[in-house]
């Protein structure tokens, strides 16, 4: 199993997913006596151990961080600080920061393991993605380990399933599914397989009130979040996708509302465009189908697209409930009966679970594996 090593964990991002992650760490880390929490930061402040022999408290971290007067560290300052210990370092980035993502190659090159749900690291410019992958183990035998299960599908095993398929020699032919909990909730209620469904603007309002959308729902309705996830998976199967603008992404924002000054103004004016979405739903119903917002990757055709698509009511995608995600992997081995992963694809707890599961793998890979029985 290798020599037990001291492993130090640094966490960037302590709100939302980060808070849920740290709560889960209070159950995980006591099982690994060689592993300690040494750093927590949010946008304006940070909390770190005075020496590498100290440990931050998982019971009082919120109060301790709130009381701290230390500013947040830049990625370079954090890297410099990591250089003052011989401990193995695991950096957990719970943010969506492009600046931090841009520093992943440097962390990995310095043998620092990175665990993150940050989609931007793997879906922005392809040069950054290449440098991240090239500097991570095993492409660089001396590089840090890299885990990003929660960058697609929150806690669902999407990334790991695809890696297993590829690494065992299967040929992935197509990936298709509902990749957004927000879009799933909207369409499952707007165009249910059974029943009538509500008005589009009413369903958007319900989703917003339930916390399924961003404060400005346009950030969900523009399709970019789904497109980022498709870029990540497409690159994993070998497609050299430059960015989310390299393929068709359907936006559900009416052109007339794109320049609304706020999310509130957008929501106020959205009912005036209900007829457009109602027409889409009614036309599908006339063909015995329902509409869903999906993403698909056709590997042979090198085609990626995101948008509204019709499905027979008996199709697995048509039968989704709530805010579930569903991703189908069509491969040579599985033939016409795809491997399907389905479940909650959004929410702080399940996203944090994906990050926590990656952390456990990282601890074992860094040889901090000795567990308390």
């Amino acid at each position: 199993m290798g020599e037990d090593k001291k492993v130090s964990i640094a966490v960037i991002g302590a709100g939302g997913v980060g808070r849920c992650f740290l709560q889960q760490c209070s159950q995980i880390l006591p099982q690994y006596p060689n592993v300690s929490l040494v750093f927590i930061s949010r946008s304006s402040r940070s909390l770190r151990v005075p020496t590498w022999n100290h440990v931050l408290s998982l019971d009082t971290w919120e109060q301790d961080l709130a009381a701290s007067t230390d500013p947040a560290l830049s990625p370079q300052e954090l890297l410099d600080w990591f250089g003052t210990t011989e401990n193995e370092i695991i950096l957990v980035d719970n943010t969506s920061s492009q600046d931090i993502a841009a520093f992943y190659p440097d962390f990995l090159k310095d043998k620092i393991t990175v665990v993150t749900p940050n989609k931007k690291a793997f879906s922005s410019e392809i040069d950054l993605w290449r440098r991240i992958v090239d500097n991570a183990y095993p492409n660089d035998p001396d590089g840090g380990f890299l885990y990003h299960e929660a960058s697609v599908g929150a806690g669902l095993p999407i990334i790991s399933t695809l890696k297993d398929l590829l690494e065992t020699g299967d040929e992935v032919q197509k990936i298709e599914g509902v990749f957004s909990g927000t879009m799933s909730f909207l369409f499952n209620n707007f165009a249910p397989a059974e029943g009538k469904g509500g008005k589009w603007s009413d369903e958007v309002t319900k989703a917003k009130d339930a916390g399924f959308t961003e404060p400005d729902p346009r950030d969900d309705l523009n399709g970019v979040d789904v497109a980022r996830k498709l870029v990540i998976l497409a690159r994993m199967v070998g497609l050299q996708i430059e960015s989310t603008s390299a393929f068709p992404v359907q936006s559900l924002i009416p052109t007339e509302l794109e320049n609304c000054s706020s999310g509130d103004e957008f929501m106020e004016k959205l009912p005036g465009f209900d007829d457009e979405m109602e027409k889409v739903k009614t036309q599908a119903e006339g063909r015995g189908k329902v509409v869903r917002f999906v993403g698909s990757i056709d590997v042979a055709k090198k085609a990626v697209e995101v948008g509204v698509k019709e499905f027979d009511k008996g199709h697995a995608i048509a039968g989704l409930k709530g805010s579930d995600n569903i991703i189908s992997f069509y491969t040579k081995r599985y033939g016409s009966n795809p491997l399907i992963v389905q479940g909650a694809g959004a929410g702080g707890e399940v996203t944090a679970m994906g990050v926590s599961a990656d952390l456990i793998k990282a601890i074992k890979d860094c040889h901090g594996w000795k567990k308390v029985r």
Side-chain angles (χ1 to χ4, degrees), residues 94-128:
N94 290 312
T95 75
S96 60
S97 168
Q98 184 69 53
D99 291 339
I100 296 173
F103 225 79
Y104 286 1
D106 299 271
F107 288 126
L108 293 164
K109 188 176 182 179
D110 216 37
K111 301 183 180 181
I112 294 164
T113 289
V114 174
V115 173
T116 184
N118 190 343
K119 289 185 286 290
K120 292 179 181 177
F122 312 97
S123 63
S124 54
E125 64 271 17
I126 196 167
D127 178 64
L128 172 60

Side-chain angles (χ1 to χ4, degrees), residues 181-350:
T182 301
M183 291 299 199
S184 182
F185 181 87
L186 284 173
F187 279 87
N188 294 341
N189 288 282
F190 170 64
E194 301 293 336
K196 185 178 180 182
K199 292 183 178 180
W200 177 248
S201 60
D202 289 344
E203 298 304 337
V204 176
T205 299
K206 290 178 187 176
K208 185 174 185 294
D209 291 344
F212 285 116
T213 74
E214 296 294 331
D216 186 339
R218 287 176 294 179
D219 292 336
D220 296 290
L221 298 177
N222 61 15
V224 173
D225 178 68
V226 175
R228 286 190 179 279
K229 297 169 185 176
L230 268 289
V231 170
I232 294 170
L233 299 181
R235 288 174 176 173
M236 287 181 65
V237 297
L239 301 187
Q240 300 300 300
I241 305 296
E242 290 291 336
S243 68
T244 56
S245 60
F247 54 90
V249 178
Q250 182 179 359
S251 172
L252 300 183
I253 303 171
T255 304
E256 297 86 344
L257 303 186
E258 287 178 349
N259 295 319
C260 286
S261 60
S262 67
D264 290 340
E265 181 187 353
F266 170 76
M267 292 301 298
E268 182 182 336
K269 294 180 177 179
L270 186 60
F273 298 86
D274 279 344
D275 288 347
E276 294 181 14
M277 288 299 292
E278 192 67 27
K279 183 179 179 181
V280 172
K281 176 170 71 172
T282 302
Q283 288 176 342
E285 288 174 344
R287 291 185 280 268
K289 299 175 182 291
V290 296
V291 287
R292 295 290 183 262
F293 194 87
V294 302
S296 64
I297 301 168
D298 188 317
V299 180
K301 295 180 180 179
K302 299 182 179 180
V304 181
E305 59 181 344
V306 173
V308 176
K309 186 175 177 180
E310 296 181 3
F311 292 90
D312 292 330
K313 291 184 178 181
H315 196 284
I317 286 178
L320 283 180
K321 305 294 183 182
S323 59
D324 275 7
N325 284 186
I326 183 170
I327 292 85
S328 300
F329 295 95
Y330 295 84
T331 77
K332 186 175 181 179
R333 288 185 188 141
Y334 281 85
S336 60
N337 188 24
L339 188 162
I340 294 176
V341 179
Q342 179 178 342
E349 290 288 346
V350 292

Side-chain angles (χ1 to χ4, degrees), residues 7 88-92 113-115 145-147 355-369:
V7 178
E88 296 284 339
I89 301 290
I90 299 175
L91 174 66
V92 181
T113 289
V114 174
V115 173
F145 296 98
L146 175 65
Y147 301 90
V355 179
S356 296
D358 275 349
L359 174 64
I360 293 170
K361 295 172 187 173
I363 289 171
K364 293 176 179 178
D365 280 338
C366 291
H367 303 306
W369 56 271

Side-chain angles (χ1 to χ4, degrees), residues 25 133 148 157 160 207 233 316 331 358:
C25 279
V133 172
H148 61 104
S160 55
L233 299 181
T331 77
D358 275 349

